Amino acid sequence: MEYNFREIEKYWQIFWKKHNIFHTKENNGNQSYKYYYILNMFPYPSGSGLHIGHCLGYIASDIYARYKRATGHNVLFPIGFDSFGLPAEQYAIQTGQHPFKTIRKNVKKYQNQMDKIGLSFDWSRKLSTSDPTYYRWTQWMFIQIFNSWYDKTSEKAKSIDLLVEEFNKNGNLLVNASHSSFNYKFDSKMWKEFNSSKKESILLNYRLAFLCENTVNWCPELGTVLANDEIKNGRSERGGYPIHRKKMLQWHIRITAYIERLLKGLESVDCSKSLKKLQYNWIGKTLGYSIFLELFFQKENIKKIELFISRPEIIFGMTFIILSTDHPMAEKISISSHREEVSLYCKKNLVEEKNISGVFTGNYVIHPFLKKKKIPIYVSNSFSIDNETLSIIGVPGHEKICKKFAKNMGLEILSVLTPEKKEEKTNDELYEGKNARCINSDFLNGLKVQEAKKKIIQILEKKKIGVKKNSYRLRDAIFSRQRYWGEPIPIYFKNKIPKTIPLEKLPLLLPEINNYHPKNGKSPLTRVKNWAWDERKMKIVSNTLVDNQYVFPIETSTMPSWAGSSWYFLRYMDVHNNQFFLDKKKEQIWKNIDLYIGGTEHSTGHLIYARFWHKFLKDREWIRTEEPFKKIFNQGMILNYSATILKIIGKNIFISYGLKNSHNQRDNLQKLYVDISLVNSKNELNINNFKKWRPEFSHSKFFLEEGRFFCQRQLEKMSKSKYNVITPDQISEKYGSDVFRLYEMFLGPVMESKPWNEEKINGIKNFLKKFWHLFHINKVFQVSDLNPTFQELKILHYTIKKLQERMNSFSFNTSISYLMMMVNQLSILKCNKRKILEPLVKLIAPFSPHIAEELWRKLGKEKSIIFDSFPVYNPKFLVKEKITYPIMFNGKLKFQETFESKLTIEEIRKKILNHPKTKFILDEKELQKIIIIPKKIINILFF
């Protein structure tokens, strides 16, 4: 029979589902089992479904999961959906459909697509962050974070009750905690005299979840606050809208308390150097000094200002200083003629990536060593500043961004180090080499960098001008979104003091609404009629009943999407537990994720948040492990050619690409992406189909080149916005899922990006057909029970050995190459022997599971191949029968000679000395030595 992939794949997909083949059981925690947890980073179920770029990581993880099962591991391989967030809500705003309905529809689409390509997920553990049975525990965890503080002495989070006990005993005099800029000291007597409101306001400075006013990334068009990783080039990643800096009262998570543990923990995570570098840079630790400089114009009893400098040895190059627009003294220290301009700048605060802007305060600081030198103070939002001092010192002679700013403002650019060849570049700073010497630096002149650094630090400390300090880029994470589609924050306000919803009343359900659009920076939940908490009845009641005695308003902001995705990997271990988020016995079995696979786009924000959340849960003793992920693996991207056409800005006129330079409107042209299905192989656009696709351009004018309209092609990441997406459904329908899986892996190393080229897929298709024909003679299934030859066994065991080596290094493309070689060699030998073909089916099963299952059944096996073990190679079949040596004389190659592999070194020596060519070359020369490196070379030395 012929290989009918459609029938075979459909049959086995139904079989796997019907018999729960991929269902994972813990085997009662039997420690004789080898447990292995493989996880893909949380997918968001968009309406467009999966494309083949998404599938790269899923297929790679599935191959490895199948391989680990075959090597005796009990594998946990779950999947779920990160289903809260902006995309579904924006769609709801546009269509009026409730996000829950669209998410449910999209999840079903994703699941069908994943099943069709044979992914062996345990769907019984599926979860969604928008499911109340899940976000009940996200809310529970937020309450625990709210009711915790961070003890810097023991380096762990503790219950807020322990802090209150300490306040009752000693006040905060002995407390060493991570907190907001809270320097107020009190003893136990004072604490006991404070009223409840005062006590709560003090505790809010210590809680790990706290409310405070902060400058945030505000996107008016989306009506919400965005995290830094949701912004690209000064605009929202979703929609490309402008971002404004705006002061708002927001919930925060005190993630900065964990900075040093986040840095240290990276040492134990097995991942690429590039990923670690991304994490280090995201945290952004800089060693430096806080220095206190006198103001020239002292204002409102403000005599000094604290500034941060990362390299004190270049302090003589300081020509300006920068205060953040968030700096509490930015307006206060400004002189009257500049105060209005400063105020306007702080309020405007549009985030602009390309433009470096700032405004002069009219005030100066006095240089600490050059007393007659005044350094101008500017306010700017263009710099990466120290989070605590909210300031930096500008040294434009040696820092890139400072140099640009100085040029824009017409400020002095002063070099204070000799201009040597740059050894390295780190962030924005230019390091001048270890042998550079100080110039223009007063008493530091002539000193090398390290000598100057040591001397200036001694003076700073002696004169009490500065103190050693670590600065970090990472800030406390904003935890509020003024949106609808997110977890409700389980807080109500009792006389403006935040109180938590009782744990037994969770989940606090997201209410039904009709209008999903936020307005004037306020959440849609502000329009909900029943959104108040009755303390006596312990339930949600009408807002009209709010009396601030028994009934109080509930928080209207919702959690950010990263809340639910920061701990989902734990829930997979015990997804059906209604009593707690994770039973300790289940956690002890799986411990943490052995292999975490996902794209580099999640290598910053998500990993930081998830690692923080995990450490917090460990501190409070709900889990045992410090880091959630043992090994993190980033797959590359699948690239595809996009197509763009040229349009005259402001007019309904399109121009063929070849006319762009000759057209008088060339300076007013914009590029528009078009669906690649509308463009042929010669880059010609089908204009009629384009008009049907974009009806708004149905009456547009098109300038042609000799009757044809050409586009430009560019190799880019697959993206819905670029209309260059190919779905797995299209490829699987045409070639089969097994062919698709093999081809995606065969394109190149999994961790690298590679272009999609469908023209080469026929090679994989022919390989599977050749593999199928090994089991069939004249289209009839037939295998022989004859014993294999040594040569056939050698081919088999060589392939087994190579696959074992390659699989553990995720080198799936080379693994497939070895399988191809084996099939080709067996085809030449016309080998159809059972003892060779059965192991071959096991070898190919992780890559092409459908065809493997079909042939396994034909071989008479009743159980799924997933329950069978991976073959083990036998070294005796890998011994080379003969070895060819290069024969060298005084290091120069003269000829080659082949010997039996069983010969000893002495036997080889005798044979080579008696060889006619050796005798001819040596002639009457005196033999000095023969060097024989077994299985490699023979070198004969003579005088």
Side-chain angles (χ1 to χ4, degrees):
M1 62 178 288
E2 288 295 332
Y3 171 47
N4 187 329
F5 67 80
R6 287 189 179 88
E7 287 185 8
I8 290 170
E9 290 176 359
K10 184 177 180 181
Y11 174 84
W12 286 105
Q13 285 161 17
I14 294 171
F15 178 89
W16 291 331
K17 188 174 183 179
K18 181 180 178 182
H19 296 280
N20 293 319
I21 295 298
F22 309 128
H23 181 67
T24 304
K25 294 181 180 179
E26 282 81 5
N27 305 107
N28 296 318
N30 189 334
Q31 292 305 309
S32 64
Y33 283 86
K34 295 182 288 184
Y35 293 93
Y36 200 87
Y37 185 177
I38 301 175
L39 186 63
N40 291 277
M41 291 185 185
F42 228 7
Y44 182 87
S46 68
S48 57
L50 289 174
H51 62 64
I52 60 174
H54 296 136
C55 296
L56 190 67
Y58 296 134
I59 294 171
S61 62
D62 183 65
I63 289 170
Y64 201 67
R66 289 174 180 273
Y67 170 70
K68 294 302 281 187
R69 291 187 188 108
T71 53
H73 293 80
N74 189 4
V75 175
L76 178 58
F77 187 43
I79 193 69
F81 297 95
D82 189 10
S83 50
F84 271 134
L86 278 175
E89 187 167 357
Q90 287 299 105
Y91 188 76
I93 290 169
Q94 294 163 8
T95 64
Q97 291 187 45
H98 196 285
F100 180 78
K101 293 180 180 178
T102 56
I103 287 295
R104 186 170 55 184
K105 180 182 176 182
N106 296 344
V107 163
K108 187 176 181 180
K109 183 175 184 177
Y110 266 63
Q111 187 166 346
N112 288 337
Q113 286 183 298
M114 289 172 168
D115 285 342
K116 283 181 180 178
I117 57 175
L119 301 178
S120 58
F121 291 132
D122 180 359
W123 287 106
S124 70
R125 296 182 187 243
K126 180 180 73 173
L127 59 84
S128 291
T129 53
S130 57
D131 187 330
T133 61
Y134 178 82
Y135 72 70
R136 165 195 180 184
W137 296 110
T138 308
Q139 292 175 336
W140 181 91
M141 291 174 187
F142 171 80
I143 290 174
Q144 303 305 327
I145 294 171
F146 177 80
N147 286 326
S148 298
W149 63 290
Y150 196 82
D151 181 3
K152 292 169 73 173
T153 301
S154 61
E155 287 295 327
K156 65 183 293 187
K158 296 180 177 179
S159 168
I160 203 75
D161 293 338
L162 295 176
L163 187 64
V164 173
E165 285 180 19
E166 177 62 21
F167 287 171
N168 280 316
K169 290 179 183 177
N170 304 302
N172 68 349
L173 302 178
L174 304 177
V175 172
N176 182 20
S178 290
H179 54 71
S180 306
S181 299
F182 182 72
N183 299 314
Y184 181 65
K185 293 294 181 180
F186 54 86
D187 56 23
S188 59
K189 182 180 178 182
M190 293 169 66
W191 170 257
K192 290 172 184 176
E193 290 174 352
F194 294 149
N195 60 35
S196 60
S197 179
K198 176 75 172 177
K199 287 180 177 178
E200 289 295 341
S201 65
I202 289 173
L203 287 174
L204 205 56
N205 287 281
Y206 290 90
R207 294 182 186 273
L208 288 182
F210 62 97
L211 265 175
C212 80
E213 191 176 65
N214 202 350
T215 301
V216 296
N217 301 313
W218 171 249
C219 182
E221 282 78 4
L222 293 176
T224 193
V225 171
L226 297 178
N228 289 336
D229 55 329
E230 296 173 308
I231 300 168
K232 302 294 180 186
N233 299 319
R235 290 179 171 265
S236 64
E237 189 174 29
R238 180 169 184 83
Y241 300 118
I243 303 298
H244 297 262
R245 303 282 284 161
K246 180 179 180 180
K247 286 194 174 182
M248 295 178 69
L249 187 66
Q250 298 283 292
W251 281 100
H252 292 70
I253 301 293
R254 209 179 301 279
I255 193 172
T256 53
Y258 285 80
I259 280 182
E260 287 298 330
R261 281 172 65 184
L262 288 168
L263 285 169
K264 185 179 179 181
L266 284 172
E267 297 171 9
S268 65
V269 180
D270 180 5
C271 63
S272 67
K273 290 182 180 178
S274 60
L275 190 151
K276 285 190 179 183
K277 187 176 180 181
L278 283 169
Q279 287 273 292
Y280 285 129
N281 289 344
W282 188 263
I283 294 169
K285 182 178 180 178
T286 304
L287 305 179
Y289 267 75
S290 271
I291 63 174
F292 303 87
L293 302 184
E294 288 184 24
L295 283 168
F296 186 75
F297 296 115
Q298 297 182 0
K299 298 282 182 176
E300 299 178 18
N301 295 320
I302 305 171
K303 296 181 179 180
K304 291 185 178 181
I305 195 162
E306 183 182 4
L307 304 159
F308 179 76
I309 184 168
S310 59
R311 299 177 64 198
E313 72 275 12
I314 59 173
I315 195 169
F316 285 98
M318 169 175 62
T319 60
F320 64 89
I321 69 168
I322 294 291
L323 302 185
S324 163
T325 50
D326 293 335
H327 200 292
M329 299 182 191
E331 293 184 42
K332 290 179 181 178
I333 58 120
S334 300
I335 65 173
S336 56
S337 58
H338 289 74
R339 190 167 295 174
E340 184 177 354
E341 189 180 2
V342 170
S343 179
L344 287 172
Y345 181 85
C346 291
K347 288 174 182 175
K348 180 186 175 186
N349 237 349
L350 180 67
V351 175
E352 298 173 295
E353 289 281 317
K354 296 179 181 178
N355 298 322
I356 297 175
S357 64
V359 61
F360 183 39
T361 63
N363 208 341
Y364 303 83
V365 291
I366 300 170
H367 197 289
F369 303 111
L370 305 173
K371 294 297 183 180
K372 293 182 180 180
K373 188 171 184 179
K374 298 185 299 181
I375 309 297
I377 305 171
Y378 285 81
V379 175
S380 175
N381 66 348
S382 300
F383 291 79
S384 177
I385 56 157
D386 174 58
N387 289 338
E388 291 184 28
T389 64
L390 299 176
S391 67
I392 62 160
I393 285 175
V395 185
H398 302 278
E399 296 167 346
K400 282 183 177 179
I401 190 169
C402 291
K403 188 173 184 178
K404 290 180 182 178
F405 183 84
K407 284 183 176 180
N408 290 349
M409 300 298 173
L411 298 170
E412 182 184 12
I413 298 173
L414 180 65
S415 294
V416 291
L417 292 175
T418 53
E420 292 187 0
K421 182 180 178 182
K422 309 295 185 293
E423 287 188 350
E424 59 176 326
K425 294 180 181 179
T426 306
N427 299 333
D428 289 333
E429 296 181 318
L430 302 181
Y431 286 80
E432 267 71 16
K434 295 176 182 177
N435 294 320
R437 293 183 181 273
C438 292
I439 56 174
N440 301 318
S441 299
D442 200 71
F443 56 84
L444 297 180
N445 281 340
L447 296 179
K448 288 185 179 181
V449 171
Q450 290 304 317
E451 294 170 341
K453 188 172 188 175
K454 186 177 180 181
K455 185 169 184 177
I456 199 72
I457 287 173
Q458 287 175 343
I459 295 171
L460 287 173
E461 292 178 345
K462 185 178 180 180
K463 293 188 174 184
K464 297 183 179 180
I465 297 171
V467 292
K468 193 174 182 179
K469 182 182 187 299
N470 293 334
S471 176
Y472 303 91
R473 181 178 291 113
L474 184 68
R475 299 190 179 196
D476 287 328
I478 295 173
F479 203 72
S480 304
R481 293 293 185 270
Q482 289 66 49
R483 300 293 298 225
Y484 169 70
W485 192 236
E487 300 94 334
I489 296 176
I491 292 286
Y492 64 95
F493 293 94
K494 189 172 184 177
N495 300 317
K496 297 184 179 181
I497 299 295
K499 297 287 185 179
T500 59
I501 299 291
L503 295 176
E504 64 272 20
K505 292 300 177 179
L506 298 178
L508 177 63
L509 294 173
L510 192 63
E512 291 275 350
I513 62 173
N514 296 319
N515 182 356
Y516 307 102
H517 207 296
K519 189 176 181 181
N520 299 325
K522 294 183 178 180
S523 165
L525 293 184
T526 57
R527 299 191 292 269
V528 175
K529 293 181 180 179
N530 295 323
W531 201 239
W533 185 255
D534 189 321
E535 274 193 337
R536 290 176 301 180
K537 297 180 179 179
M538 292 181 66
K539 68 175 186 177
I540 295 171
V541 296
S542 171
N543 294 348
T544 59
L545 299 177
V546 171
D547 57 10
N548 291 314
Q549 290 186 359
Y550 304 109
V551 181
F552 308 94
I554 298 174
E555 172 64 69
T556 55
S557 291
T558 52
M559 297 186 195
S561 58
W562 62 263
S565 64
S566 290
W567 71 279
Y568 72 107
F569 40 86
L570 294 171
R571 187 60 174 169
Y572 284 134
M573 300 179 191
D574 199 11
V575 73
H576 302 297
N577 188 341
N578 293 322
Q579 304 305 312
F580 201 55
F581 75 89
L582 175 60
D583 186 282
K584 285 194 174 182
K585 291 181 181 178
K586 297 287 181 74
E587 192 250 344
Q588 181 63 22
I589 292 170
W590 298 110
K591 294 182 176 63
N592 46 17
I593 296 88
D594 293 283
L595 177 63
Y596 196 37
I597 298 180
T600 53
E601 65 271 21
H602 302 299
S603 296
T604 49
H606 164 63
L607 287 185
I608 291 286
Y609 299 142
R611 293 175 61 228
F612 150 74
W613 203 284
H614 199 80
K615 291 174 191 296
F616 168 75
L617 293 176
K618 189 231 180 187
D619 286 353
R620 296 300 309 273
E621 299 182 355
W622 292 303
I623 59 174
R624 294 176 177 85
T625 55
E626 174 75 5
E627 288 288 335
F629 316 114
K630 289 183 182 177
K631 182 178 180 64
I632 304 173
F633 185 86
N634 294 129
Q635 82 270 12
M637 296 184 292
I638 296 290
L639 310 176
N640 196 24
Y641 280 95
S642 61
T644 54
I645 58 175
L646 296 176
K647 179 182 178 294
I648 297 177
I649 297 172
K651 296 182 180 180
N652 249 352
I653 299 175
F654 292 88
I655 298 170
S656 184
Y657 212 84
L659 302 175
K660 67 171 185 174
N661 292 325
S662 59
H663 199 273
N664 58 10
Q665 295 281 346
R666 62 180 178 272
D667 294 330
N668 296 311
L669 298 177
Q670 67 178 122
K671 291 182 179 181
L672 292 180
Y673 283 99
V674 298
D675 196 301
I676 55 172
S677 64
L678 305 174
V679 183
N680 66 20
S681 59
K682 296 179 180 179
N683 295 342
E684 297 173 76
L685 176 70
N686 186 318
I687 294 174
N688 289 331
N689 288 345
F690 171 72
K691 289 179 177 179
K692 292 176 184 177
W693 180 61
R694 297 287 297 268
E696 67 270 32
F697 298 129
S698 58
H699 299 294
S700 297
K701 186 175 181 180
F702 289 79
F703 283 91
L704 311 179
E705 296 177 66
E706 299 178 359
R708 295 179 294 179
F709 189 93
F710 290 98
C711 310
Q712 183 190 37
R713 289 293 192 118
Q714 186 174 339
L715 193 61
E716 296 185 271
K717 175 186 176 182
M718 269 197 193
S719 170
K720 185 176 68 172
S721 63
K722 295 177 173 62
Y723 306 108
N724 64 342
V725 163
I726 298 171
T727 68
D729 313 64
Q730 293 170 275
I731 305 301
S732 295
E733 178 60 29
K734 192 173 180 180
Y735 301 100
S737 294
D738 282 342
V739 169
F740 169 58
R741 288 168 61 104
L742 277 170
Y743 187 55
E744 276 233 329
M745 295 298 102
F746 191 63
L747 282 172
V750 179
M751 69 291 296
E752 294 180 9
S753 295
K754 68 279 294 181
W756 177 260
N757 186 350
E758 195 174 324
E759 292 177 4
K760 296 182 180 179
I761 201 171
N762 281 321
I764 296 292
K765 179 183 174 183
N766 293 333
F767 159 63
L768 272 192
K769 282 186 176 180
K770 188 179 285 189
F771 169 65
W772 177 263
H773 289 151
L774 284 174
F775 298 79
H776 298 80
I777 299 175
N778 298 323
K779 300 183 180 181
V780 176
F781 179 81
Q782 188 175 338
V783 293
S784 168
D785 288 323
L786 293 174
N787 287 325
T789 65
F790 183 89
Q791 186 178 4
E792 290 166 342
L793 288 167
K794 183 179 177 181
I795 292 168
L796 170 65
H797 287 273
Y798 174 78
T799 308
I800 295 171
K801 183 177 184 294
K802 289 299 180 183
L803 256 65
Q804 285 181 337
E805 292 170 353
R806 296 300 188 273
M807 293 292 275
N808 285 318
S809 61
F810 306 97
S811 185
F812 300 142
N813 57 321
T814 57
S815 298
I816 295 167
S817 295
Y818 284 113
L819 288 169
M820 288 176 166
M821 287 166 56
M822 180 176 177
V823 169
N824 285 336
Q825 290 169 330
L826 294 180
S827 297
I828 292 168
L829 296 174
K830 296 183 179 179
C831 173
N832 72 329
K833 293 170 183 173
R834 179 182 291 273
K835 290 182 180 179
I836 299 295
L837 297 187
E838 275 193 10
L840 175 56
V841 175
K842 294 180 188 180
L843 292 175
I844 207 169
F847 301 91
S848 299
H850 304 88
I851 194 172
E853 288 277 26
E854 181 69 14
L855 291 171
W856 195 244
R857 183 171 65 93
K858 284 176 173 290
L859 286 165
K861 312 297 181 180
E862 294 182 1
K863 288 187 176 182
S864 167
I865 196 170
I866 203 169
F867 298 115
D868 221 277
S869 59
F870 201 79
V872 178
Y873 75 89
N874 189 332
K876 76 176 184 179
F877 295 113
L878 302 181
V879 177
K880 291 184 178 179
E881 296 172 333
K882 292 185 179 182
I883 300 170
T884 299
Y885 283 87
I887 311 300
M888 308 179 82
F889 289 79
N890 284 351
K892 294 182 179 180
L893 178 67
K894 295 297 183 180
F895 63 94
Q896 292 182 327
E897 186 61 26
T898 301
F899 301 95
E900 296 289 329
S901 60
K902 62 184 179 181
L903 290 179
T904 65
I905 297 295
E906 186 57 34
E907 287 171 330
I908 293 173
R909 186 178 185 279
K910 287 179 180 179
K911 281 184 175 291
I912 198 63
L913 282 176
N914 289 320
H915 197 285
K917 290 184 179 179
T918 302
K919 290 180 178 181
F920 175 78
I921 293 169
L922 287 178
D923 195 16
E924 295 181 358
K925 298 179 179 71
E926 183 182 347
L927 178 67
Q928 181 186 4
K929 187 191 291 186
I930 298 179
I931 300 171
I932 300 175
I933 301 176
K935 301 180 183 180
K936 290 190 176 180
I937 64 165
I938 297 173
N939 191 11
I940 300 172
L941 305 178
F942 61 85
F943 294 109

